[in-house]
Amino acid sequence: MPRRVSPYGSADDAESAALARRGPAAGAELAAAMTACDTAAEAAGAIRALSELTSDGLDFAGLDDVSEVMASLRRMSQDLPRLCEQLARMLVAQHEDGQITPAPGRDAGFWVAEAVEALAAAGRAADMLTAALAQAGKTSAELRSLSAGRLCGVDLDRDRLAQRLPDR
């Protein structure tokens, strides 16, 4: 049986607390005019557009562009676990407030618990995504340093190899 999440107050309290925590951030004016559903749809559209832009690779000037996109995706993924937790708390609070009513013969509590467990799994997966993107960023930094050496007419790997091998 899935774990039960203990919310802090009602769904309205959770939403008010989330809004209060949202201090002055970039795009706060836009966020104030949009609902959570609007913002989520915008984020999904942005990822879809990014995928289309990168499908042929022509819009990228080089490794720096790839690295910058990976860094932006990492920053985005860092907030996903917290978002999943907040959504789970809101579901539980709405259920406890009677805002989620079951159909006859159905157990709404079971389905809320299932959704909460799925959100917890999504949060863990987002943590793994963040870690993988951070590793990809480190690797691309190494690639940039190698490319920079070759651009200057120096092959760093060949020079290191030549320094280690004796002449025959």
Side-chain angles (χ1 to χ4, degrees), residues 89-101:
R89 277 194 301 239
M90 290 173 72
L91 277 175
V92 172
Q94 288 175 353
H95 177 62
E96 289 178 352
D97 288 349
Q99 296 176 20
I100 299 175
T101 56

Side-chain angles (χ1 to χ4, degrees), residues 33-51:
M34 297 175 67
T35 67
C37 293
D38 293 338
T39 304
E42 288 286 325
I47 294 295
R48 192 175 309 107
L50 183 59
S51 179

